[in-house]
Amino acid sequence: MLTAIFLPLILACFIPLISKWKYSIHTGWFVLIIPFSIFVYLIQQVGTRFSPFEKTYPWIPSMDIHFDLYLDGLSLLFGLLISGIGTLVVLYSIYYLHKSEKLGHFYLYLLMFMSAMFGVVFSDNVYVLYTFWELTSLSSFLLIGYWNHRKGSRYGALKSMLITVFGGLSMLGGLLLLTIVTDTTSIQEMISQKETIMNSPQFGWILAFLFLGAFTKSAQFPFHIWLPDAMEAPTPVSAYLHSATMVKAGIFLIARFSPILAQSDWFFIIVSGFGILTLCWGSFMAVRQTDLKGILAYSTISQLGMIMAMLGFGTKIAVFAAVFHILNHATFKGSLFMVAGIVDHETGTRDIRKLGGLMTFMPITATLAFFGTFSMAGFPLPFLNGFYSKELFFDAALLHHFSVEGFAQLLKVIIPYLAVFGSIFTFVYSMYLVFGTFRGEYKERELKTKPHEAPIGMLISPIILVVGVIIIGLFPNLFNESFLAHAAKSIKGVEIHKHIKFWHGFNSVPLYMSLAVVVLGSILAYTRKRWSSVYNVIPGTLSFNRVYDWLVDKTTAYSEVITKGYMSGSLKHYVRYILIAILVVTFGTLWLTTDLTISNPDLASIGIPDMLVVGMMVIASVATIFTNNRIAAILILGVVGYGLSILFVIYRAPDLALTQLIIETVTVALFLLVFMHLPKLEKRNESKGTIFFNATVSILFGAMMTFVAIFSYSSKWFEPISDYFLETSVSLGGGHNVVNVILVDMRGLDTLFEITVLGIAALGIYGMIKLRRNKGEK
Amino acid sequence: MEIVTSILSGILFATGIYNLLQRQLLRIIIGTALMSHGAHLFILTMGKLKRGKPPIIVEGVENYVDPLPQALILTSIVISFGVTSFLLVLAYRAARLNGTDNMEELRGNENE
């Protein structure tokens, strides 16, 4: 299994080399071997006696994250779909993509995706699952944007990326909660602890996060909007990712976790409710589309909704029907996408309004489309697999022996009607698709080239898929015991045996539901033009695409507005933000933690000379604000500095006084040197509000510093370490001036870097004055 | 006395901040100089004032003032001198090149 996961990834590294080295052979031929060999390996596991097995490879053992690989019926079903459809899609793409395309890129992305998808379905560790989950989002993004010169491709890729990564991150949240609740990272061990999870208070969040992940990935209402836009990808990609594999990853997630989650009524309400809503909305919207792939995209959405609804029912028959339909949908939808690609390739358009009457030109394609669409519609013919799963769906939707209460009860009653409604529209768009394309009038003028049958190589893959449709249709029980029963068992947890029959007799309700679908569907399909104006009312101009576009536009617009609002480019504003933040935090902390009393005021005596100097400094510092004369401002600043040095003298700091005196002199000289070159001080013409604001902030800041000083002074906790300096200055430092001994001996490192600071400042000043960018500059 | 110097330090900060909020570069630098004075006084006050002789060891003297804050302030004075002189030359160059020292006119705006 490890080989299955990493073989595509490792070989993907060599694909660009091969595509350069062997240009004459289409790169796809080299790729083809990989999914085919994995398919052969997996098909050997199928059998009646199959039992789950697991393997562990250490990855990050310290965080309990291992490569736990687990193969049970469910992952085997998905593994076979991925490898089988993968083989056919690679084969199809060899004929679909011309050699002039960037094939190295295409197959690199495709193999990366394949790897990731195997990783998702085989991993038992939730974080490994998540890793591969995001890798599918990433590679799908690359594949949708494959023709990156087209605007539509880039838009679709971005949209699918945003929506699926949003869901992926939600899912990670759910998985993290699951890990916290159960204290394990293995899914199987989580299942064994389901009671713990059920009873934990986080259960609601786990449910919500996992549903978000699954619904976004599987294009459930209202996250379905990315899928139609993802149709800008090359058709093989649409066939592979957006019908058979990636969109079923969400289904896989719900199926994998349903042993844990399915015991709550909410599981039924949300999964079935949204599933059935998606079914109806998708099929209703599909009839409106004019693009072949658009129809198929909405059809995929609605079919996924149907599978999701069945998983939500959670009854034995519903789970079996879901598994059966996963298989059936992959066969007929894959073939239909390939048919749409062929029509596009041979006529140059996918617009159904320009197509028509292609049956005579493309008989084989038309036949394939006939099988595909009739199977999708659930037409009651014994060789179409779609009919069986639709009958099972109706049977499951009736919800016999299913007891719920409250709102769920209401949902239970209306589900069968909604199921029939959705199926009627499924019938309508299926008929529209096949008859609109292949029957009717041939519009020669609309088409650029004369249509003709596709090359045989392109037809092989859809033929194989349609043969699959017919085989399952003729022998619906062929894979039951050996294959589907195992998958259903791993979802439901108990053995499920189901024998599928074509004919149930006249007294079965699903039969009449199917008949109603066919009759009403035929009538609606025949009269489609008359009632199609209903789309102008529902949905009219409403659509979730508009919501998405609005969200994306407004998010960027408003974040720009906000950023422009506070990033004004003005230094004054930024200083204000910083000051206000400091004020709020400091005063808040003072308010909350300090008892605002001055205890043990061990204060020095107040002397007259000190007070005189202090008074002078106060007057001088306040005067700097009010003077408009530059020389006066500088000299007043000098007064403050000299005042400080006198204070240093009074407080017994001779070295400080000396330094302060010299430095103040030099600074004042520098100020005087520079001010000659600066413009004159302006008269302040600020508004009164600004002056008031500035004054308030400055006074508050000064008050804050005073408070901090007083409160911290009055709460001295420990004796200072200065006694040590005083005692050892002579004996260890060999000096009598303790301050100097500290500076050069005890804390010499400070001094070293202070010298460095001065040196750098000097060099900087020299550079600023001397260096000029251009000779012409001043 | 410590209360008085604390208040003085607060006043130096307040006037420094007020100058910092003005538009002209020269005023902003005056503001930073005032604030560094306030900070130095703050540190000195925290180490207690007038508790003995200057910290120069002399035979027979028992009490000295705390030498550690003085060493810290000395370092700080030199560094703030370096920064102030750098700022002054920067202001000179900026005014020379741009023809103004008004910060509102010097504001950067990438839309221009």
Side-chain angles (χ1 to χ4, degrees):
Chain A
M1 279 184 290
L2 195 70
T3 330
I5 294 175
F6 284 107
L7 185 69
L9 206 57
I10 292 164
L11 288 180
C13 304
F14 296 103
I15 288 303
L17 291 177
I18 292 174
S19 74
K20 287 261 189 294
W21 168 60
K22 274 278 180 214
Y23 185 73
S24 53
I25 304 172
H26 197 285
T27 319
W29 290 112
F30 298 102
V31 179
L32 190 62
I33 313 157
I34 302 164
F36 187 69
S37 51
I38 297 172
F39 182 74
V40 170
Y41 163 73
L42 286 173
I43 201 102
Q44 290 166 353
Q45 312 294 323
V46 174
T48 317
R49 293 200 193 158
F50 170 78
S51 65
F53 61 95
E54 64 182 316
K55 280 203 174 85
T56 298
Y57 305 89
W59 186 21
I60 315 174
S62 58
M63 292 174 74
D64 194 24
I65 296 175
H66 309 274
F67 249 98
D68 293 329
L69 303 181
Y70 185 72
L71 190 72
D72 63 351
L74 186 65
S75 33
L76 186 62
L77 168 68
F78 275 89
L80 280 171
L81 280 183
I82 296 159
S83 54
I85 310 263
T87 313
L88 298 177
V89 161
V90 170
L91 183 63
Y92 177 77
S93 70
I94 291 171
Y95 291 92
Y96 186 84
L97 291 172
H98 194 258
K99 270 200 283 188
S100 58
E101 301 269 7
K102 287 178 283 183
L103 291 175
H105 294 223
F106 180 79
Y107 287 109
L108 171 67
Y109 302 154
L110 198 71
L111 284 174
M112 201 166 112
F113 171 78
M114 203 179 279
S115 229
M117 211 53 216
F118 281 126
V120 166
V121 299
F122 289 149
S123 55
D124 186 49
N125 189 294
V126 289
Y127 298 110
V128 177
L129 172 74
Y130 173 73
T131 309
F132 285 114
W133 184 278
E134 292 296 32
L135 193 59
T136 64
S137 295
L138 186 68
S139 47
S140 156
F141 168 77
L142 291 168
L143 282 167
I144 296 170
Y146 177 62
W147 284 313
N148 52 21
H149 52 275
R150 294 187 192 168
K151 197 161 178 280
S153 293
R154 295 198 301 269
Y155 175 78
L158 181 65
K159 191 175 192 176
S160 73
M161 184 75 167
L162 284 176
I163 294 178
T164 52
V165 168
F166 163 72
L169 284 176
S170 307
M171 188 184 89
L172 178 63
L175 298 178
L176 281 169
L177 281 176
L178 270 177
T179 316
I180 293 166
V181 169
T182 59
D183 201 27
T184 172
T185 54
S186 154
I187 297 172
Q188 293 308 314
E189 284 173 34
M190 283 175 185
I191 290 173
S192 65
Q193 293 187 42
K194 56 187 172 193
E195 295 301 322
T196 327
I197 301 170
M198 277 291 291
N199 298 327
S200 77
Q202 278 85 26
F203 184 66
W205 289 108
I206 294 173
L207 216 57
F209 283 144
L210 287 185
F211 285 158
L212 265 180
F215 285 5
T216 49
K217 199 77 167 179
S218 280
Q220 298 294 296
F221 188 90
F223 304 112
H224 62 274
I225 50 172
W226 65 266
L227 190 59
D229 283 310
M231 291 300 134
E232 292 292 333
T235 303
V237 173
S238 306
Y240 189 39
L241 274 71
H242 306 123
S243 76
T245 52
M246 188 179 92
V247 287
K248 291 203 175 101
I251 304 267
F252 175 80
L253 186 78
I254 294 288
R256 180 54 97 206
F257 281 99
S258 59
I260 302 175
L261 308 174
Q263 300 155 36
S264 121
D265 271 4
W266 283 106
F267 181 80
F268 167 67
I269 292 173
I270 295 174
V271 177
S272 295
F274 277 97
I276 210 96
L277 187 63
T278 312
L279 165 63
C280 295
W281 186 254
S283 56
F284 179 68
M285 289 299 288
V287 185
R288 192 196 192 190
Q289 306 300 315
T290 54
D291 176 13
L292 288 184
K293 282 171 83 178
I295 300 175
L296 290 173
Y298 275 102
S299 145
T300 304
I301 292 168
S302 98
Q303 303 277 326
L304 291 170
M306 176 173 154
I307 299 171
M308 203 61 111
M310 288 191 277
L311 286 175
F313 300 156
T315 54
K316 277 187 182 181
I317 178 167
V319 167
F320 186 83
V323 170
F324 190 42
H325 197 67
I326 289 172
L327 179 66
N328 291 346
H329 177 247
T331 54
F332 64 69
K333 190 51 67 65
S335 70
L336 282 176
F337 267 110
M338 290 173 185
V339 164
I342 290 170
V343 171
D344 184 15
H345 210 262
E346 304 306 329
T347 63
T349 181
R350 297 197 312 249
D351 193 333
I352 200 163
R353 290 168 300 189
K354 293 182 183 171
L355 297 167
L358 291 180
M359 191 138 168
T360 46
F361 300 100
M362 312 167 82
I364 303 174
T365 318
T367 315
L368 296 173
F370 168 81
F371 279 106
T373 46
F374 276 77
S375 178
M376 180 161 77
F379 206 79
L381 286 173
F383 50 86
L384 296 175
N385 58 7
F387 171 68
Y388 297 100
S389 40
K390 187 128 293 183
E391 284 265 292
L392 281 171
F393 171 56
F394 287 148
D395 203 1
L398 290 170
L399 295 168
H400 307 288
H401 318 296
F402 191 72
S403 62
V404 279
E405 286 167 1
F407 178 72
Q409 181 69 34
L410 177 73
L411 193 65
K412 180 187 160 182
V413 174
I414 59 172
I415 274 177
Y417 298 100
L418 287 174
V420 171
F421 175 83
S423 301
I424 289 171
F425 277 92
T426 306
F427 192 88
V428 174
Y429 72 69
S430 301
M431 295 305 112
Y432 172 49
L433 185 68
V434 64
F435 287 109
T437 314
F438 294 102
R439 295 303 305 269
E441 183 193 349
Y442 168 55
K443 298 156 191 160
E444 193 172 4
R445 272 175 301 160
E446 302 274 4
L447 301 179
K448 287 175 200 145
T449 51
K450 192 168 163 57
H452 53 84
E453 190 54 83
I456 184 70
M458 219 162 169
L459 289 167
I460 295 173
S461 302
I463 287 174
I464 293 174
L465 285 171
V466 166
V467 167
V469 168
I470 296 169
I471 287 177
I472 300 172
L474 288 174
F475 312 105
N477 297 308
L478 194 59
F479 308 119
N480 271 3
E481 289 296 312
S482 56
F483 185 35
L484 297 177
H486 298 306
K489 186 194 166 198
S490 42
I491 301 175
K492 185 68 182 154
V494 291
E495 298 279 348
I496 297 176
H497 295 286
K498 176 73 192 165
H499 193 73
I500 306 164
K501 282 188 294 186
F502 177 68
W503 183 247
H504 292 279
F506 282 112
N507 52 357
S508 81
V509 186
L511 177 72
Y512 294 106
M513 290 161 87
S514 279
L515 278 178
V517 167
V518 172
V519 173
L520 286 171
S522 303
I523 294 168
L524 281 176
Y526 194 70
T527 60
R528 191 183 59 83
K529 288 212 169 80
R530 293 199 192 153
W531 55 266
S532 58
S533 61
V534 75
Y535 286 104
N536 297 329
V537 185
I538 307 165
T541 55
L542 296 171
S543 98
F544 286 98
N545 281 316
R546 288 173 58 132
V547 176
Y548 166 83
D549 288 337
W550 182 84
L551 267 176
V552 171
D553 285 352
K554 291 294 164 188
T555 313
T556 43
Y558 279 118
S559 54
E560 206 173 306
V561 166
I562 292 170
T563 312
K564 278 198 174 151
Y566 75 93
M567 297 284 275
S568 59
S570 161
L571 179 71
K572 199 167 68 180
H573 292 158
Y574 302 147
V575 174
R576 282 182 186 177
Y577 304 144
I578 295 168
L579 290 176
I580 290 172
I582 294 173
L583 281 174
V584 168
V585 170
T586 315
F587 273 118
T589 318
L590 275 180
W591 179 259
L592 290 175
T593 59
T594 315
D595 52 359
L596 305 181
T597 51
I598 302 165
S599 60
N600 186 23
D602 172 28
L603 298 172
S605 60
I606 295 178
I608 303 295
D610 319 11
M611 287 310 287
L612 283 176
V613 177
V614 167
M616 184 185 76
M617 283 174 78
V618 170
I619 294 167
S621 65
V622 175
T624 55
I625 295 169
F626 292 101
T627 180
N628 282 330
N629 186 325
R630 290 183 293 177
I631 295 187
I634 292 164
L635 292 180
I636 295 167
L637 185 66
V639 170
V640 179
Y642 291 127
L644 190 64
S645 69
I646 297 172
L647 279 186
F648 286 152
V649 172
I650 295 172
Y651 298 135
R652 277 88 156 163
D655 300 294
L656 287 187
L658 197 66
T659 318
Q660 178 68 29
L661 208 65
I662 295 167
I663 282 196
E664 196 56 38
T665 313
V666 176
T667 312
V668 168
L670 252 177
F671 266 102
L672 290 173
L673 264 180
V674 165
F675 103 104
M676 310 249 299
H677 302 281
L678 290 178
K680 290 195 168 165
L681 282 183
E682 293 165 344
K683 286 276 183 196
R684 273 186 296 281
N685 46 5
E686 310 257 10
S687 67
K688 282 202 168 144
T690 316
I691 292 173
F692 178 74
F693 177 83
N694 289 349
T696 318
V697 169
S698 347
I699 290 169
L700 279 175
F701 201 89
M704 183 190 88
M705 290 310 291
T706 309
F707 284 140
V708 168
I710 292 172
F711 291 132
S712 43
Y713 185 80
S714 58
S715 57
K716 273 221 155 72
W717 294 80
F718 302 104
E719 283 301 307
I721 57 166
S722 303
D723 288 342
Y724 173 79
F725 293 135
L726 291 166
E727 281 162 18
T728 57
S729 173
V730 178
S731 57
L732 290 181
H736 291 270
N737 187 332
V738 185
V739 174
N740 289 1
V741 170
I742 291 177
L743 279 177
V744 298
D745 202 334
M746 294 169 170
R747 297 177 57 91
L749 217 55
D750 287 358
T751 314
L752 175 67
F753 290 109
E754 161 198 339
I755 293 168
T756 317
V757 167
L758 270 190
I760 290 169
L763 283 175
I765 290 167
Y766 180 82
M768 269 194 296
I769 291 173
K770 275 287 170 189
L771 297 181
R772 298 285 185 275
R773 241 179 305 166
N774 309 321
K775 279 195 171 169
E777 264 183 77
K778 282 190 268 184
Chain B
M1 200 64 227
E2 278 86 349
I3 305 281
V4 178
T5 46
S6 296
I7 293 167
L8 176 63
S9 159
I11 290 170
L12 287 173
F13 265 102
T15 51
I17 293 283
Y18 191 87
N19 275 308
L20 194 69
L21 285 165
Q22 301 303 307
R23 294 176 180 185
Q24 283 191 296
L25 263 174
L26 191 61
R27 279 209 185 276
I28 291 172
I29 299 170
I30 288 174
T32 56
L34 282 171
M35 278 167 70
S36 61
H37 289 328
H40 298 156
L41 193 61
F42 187 99
I43 301 173
L44 193 72
T45 309
M46 290 300 100
K48 293 192 177 177
L49 303 170
K50 292 192 197 171
R51 293 300 143 86
K53 294 283 171 192
I56 293 167
I57 306 294
V58 180
E59 285 293 329
V61 176
E62 280 299 310
N63 281 332
Y64 296 99
V65 296
D66 197 340
L68 189 58
Q70 297 193 10
L72 297 180
I73 295 168
L74 201 59
T75 310
S76 169
I77 288 175
V78 175
I79 289 173
S80 61
F81 166 70
V83 173
T84 306
S85 49
F86 187 85
L87 278 179
L88 277 167
V89 178
L90 190 67
Y92 154 72
R93 283 295 295 160
R96 257 306 185 59
L97 278 177
N98 300 305
T100 176
D101 71 335
N102 188 329
M103 287 312 286
E104 293 303 295
E105 288 168 26
L106 286 172
R107 69 205 267 180
N109 195 336
E110 48 200 88
N111 294 336
E112 281 169 4

